[in-house]
Amino acid sequence: ASQSYHEKCISGGYGDNDAPTPLFVQPPTPSFLRPNGATAINFIEGMKLEAIDPLNLSTICVATVMKVMRQNYLMIRIDSYESDNTGSDWFCYHATSPSIFPAGFCQINNIQLTPPKGYEGEFSWYNYLKTTKGTAAPPTLFHREVNSCQFESGMSLEAADLMDPRLVCVATVKAVHGRLLQVHFDGWEDEFDQWIDSQSSDIYPVGWCQMVSYKLEGPRVATEVSAASHRRKPKLRGGRKKRGGGCGTFLTASTDNSSTVGAATGAGTARR
Ligand code: MLY
């Protein structure tokens, strides 16, 4: 009983109240490690890639594999951050995550890639890897294939605002790149957009909220207050900075389909 958590993990023993390991879904085996997989290489520390910034889901950034852990979990650094090299701002992604992409993904898909901190001029992977003597993670390591993604830009949907996931909002597919969707929240600035996988469980068909009796956040409609806040150009979002510019009014789509305008301002927006 006096075993420390660390000792317990090492000995692999269960405490009486611990959920036993077999109850958990095992992380997927990356295809490159399956028998007959295309290649035997895995991610290696230092490899460069592109990744959705988990603290600012509207951006895809140059990133680095900082650590390869057991079961193919990767610690990833977002290179546009001011890093203190302590690892405090690394993120854990599984090697099969749909939120990481091979170098060149953004260029091929005409997406603005956020360059590393301090990078001057237009970003070029070729020059960057050459000058830094870096290596890009081979494209075969990434899980980009998907049976079929039939989303099209312009389609309406309901999507969780993953920076405030209790908010499920009226949204529109802005772009589709293979299995990756760019979701725009109706009435909100583009900086609130989210890159999200088409197989994510955080997006729903129109009518979902009504079906499950959950409040749907309607499109934000401009008010005088929100027009003023708009001029104040809100700061970039992200968990590291306080989100700003949230003044506005939700057009609240209630479950009986009659729309009511719910006024809300500032940080209290849509608080229920
Ligand atoms: N006022 C909050 C909430 C913003 C929610 C935006 N979503 C619905 C797209 C803020 O600005 O952080």
Side-chain angles (χ1 to χ4, degrees), residues 161 164 166-167 169 185 188 192 217 237 243-247 250 265-270:
D161 176 348
D164 198 351
R166 77 208 154 98
L167 302 177
C169 313
F185 292 103
W188 293 88
F192 289 93
E217 308 298 339
R237 294 173 102 198
R243 278 165 54 165
C247 299
F250 278 110
T265 49
T269 302

Side-chain angles (χ1 to χ4, degrees), residues 10 36-37 41 55 79-80 83 89-90 96 101 119-120 136 138 152 154 157 175 216 226 250 252 254 257 265 270:
I10 291 181
N36 307 322
I41 18 172
L55 297 182
D79 290 1
S80 52
S83 190
D89 56 0
W90 300 352
T96 60
F101 317 91
Y119 191 90
E120 307 265 327
E152 288 170 19
L157 74 166
L216 174 65
S226 65
F250 278 110
T252 307
S254 61
N257 259 355
T265 49

Side-chain angles (χ1 to χ4, degrees), residues 121-136:
E122 204 186 319
F123 184 75
S124 145
W125 268 115
Y126 180 80
N127 293 336
Y128 182 61
L129 293 174
K130 208 165 90 176
T131 53
T132 59
K133 298 195 176 24
T135 321

